[in-house]
């Protein structure tokens, strides 16, 4: 029994999760997958109602009672500090030790590529972002806050353990792909925290002799992703480098509307979410593109061994894109629920 926690969250989150859930149901039906889901009330509404962000009881429930978590989006203009999003999303990444953030980026159609003369053969990469360290831990503080002499500090950390485990994941993934790992860092300017990544790479890479290990400074990587995207297969970066490069890479294939992701602790915990945010400006208009959430569900199905179901969902998303059966952001004129229904019908007939 596949037990899935649904965290629709804020803004368009509930709208895209509704379609992701429908697609899961369609795939489960077609491919005889036993599953159950529970929707958890976590997000801005609950925070404004009760002051709760991610209470211990909800965290324990998420950790103990589910195989996978599917997240919509967090972020609400009524909570300008975004404290709930930070506690829930960054909190789950930390507390479940979801150290891999996997963001596959594949160009489905030339139409969606802002680069001249590039097609699907040129852009197929997987961003493997470290998801628990760098400047994301919250370590830091202020001195003399709100005075002209204020000092603000956000500390970047890298641990050898975290570099090693992420690189092992990246090399194993590259073994199933084009066999190139490119570590992107700023070891030239950040010699301690990012120098450690290079030393970790030097130790891990020889254990995978059939995989080519490359290094690039992240600024150069940003440039080459635009000028030579075909050079990238598995792209590794720390939390901050991976955050930026994954948005850049997503822009090469049509933007965040087509960007799924997984935050993983292989073997123990998994969270799937579209990379996009809560888009409060289009809530309730039917314009929210559910494809990134649905493609995230395909990643979930694949990770749990339901390969045929995952392939069917991915193929259906590709058909939606190729046939223009999409929301307006991708050039179509369907509403969120109509895109979901299109995918469900395709999966049912697969
Ligand atoms: C992402 C987002 C988050 C991040 C924000 C919302 C904190 O940009 O998932 O990429 O930086 O990790
Ligand atoms: Mg980001």
């Amino acid at each position: 029994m596949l037990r899935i926690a649904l965290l629709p969250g804020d803004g368009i989150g509930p709208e895209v999760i509704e379609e992701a859930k429908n697609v899961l149901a369609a795939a489960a039906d077609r491919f005889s997958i036993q599953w159950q889901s529970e929707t958890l009330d976590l997000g801005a509404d609950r925070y404004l109602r009760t002051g709760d962000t991610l209470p211990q009881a909800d965290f324990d429930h998420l950790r103990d009672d589910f195989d996978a978590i599917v997240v919509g989006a967090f972020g609400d203009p009524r909570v300008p500090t975004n404290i709930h999003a930070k506690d829930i999303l960054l909190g789950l990444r930390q507390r479940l030790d979801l150290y891999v953030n996997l963001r596959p980026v594949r160009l489905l159609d030339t139409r969606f590529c802002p680069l001249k003369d590039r097609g699907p053969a040129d852009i197929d990469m997987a961003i493997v972002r470290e998801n628990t360290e760098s400047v994301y831990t919250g370590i830091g503080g202020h001195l003399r806050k709100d005075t002209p002499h204020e000092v603000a500090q956000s500390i970047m950390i890298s641990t050898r353990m975290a570099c090693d485990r992420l690189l092992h994941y990246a090399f194993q993934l590259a073994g199933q792909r084009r066999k190139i790992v490119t570590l992107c860092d700023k070891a030239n300017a950040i010699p301690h925290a990012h120098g450690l990544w290079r030393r970790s790479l030097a130790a891990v890479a020889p254990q995978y002799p059939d995989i080519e290990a490359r290094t690039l400074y992240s600024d150069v990587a940003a440039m080459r992703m635009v000028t030579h995207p075909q050079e990238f297969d598995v792209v590794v970066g720390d939390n901050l480098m991976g955050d930026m490069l994954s948005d850049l890479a997503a822009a090469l294939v049509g933007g965040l509307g087509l960007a799924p992701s997984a935050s993983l602790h292989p073997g123990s915990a998994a969270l799937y979410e579209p990379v996009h945010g809560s888009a409060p400006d289009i809530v309730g208009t039917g314009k929210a593109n559910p494809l990134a959430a649905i493609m995230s569900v395909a990643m979930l199905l694949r990770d749990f061994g339901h390969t045929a179901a995952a392939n069917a969902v991915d193929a259906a998303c590709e058909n939606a894109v190729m046939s223009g059966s999409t929301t307006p952001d991708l050039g179509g004129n369907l509403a969120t629920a109509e895109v979901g229904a299109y995918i469900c019908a395709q999966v049912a007939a697969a």
Side-chain angles (χ1 to χ4, degrees), residues 103 105-106 112-115 123 125 127 184 217-229 232 235 240-256 259 275:
R103 298 183 163 182
V105 171
R106 188 162 69 91
F112 301 118
C113 184
L115 307 178
I123 309 181
M125 57 183 107
I127 312 282
C184 302
Y217 296 129
S218 301
D219 49 350
V220 180
M223 185 174 65
R224 285 197 85 78
M225 259 188 202
V226 172
T227 57
H228 299 74
F232 294 88
V235 178
L240 186 61
M241 304 299 111
D243 178 44
M244 295 194 253
L245 290 174
S246 61
D247 271 29
L248 170 57
L252 302 181
V253 301
L256 297 184
V275 178

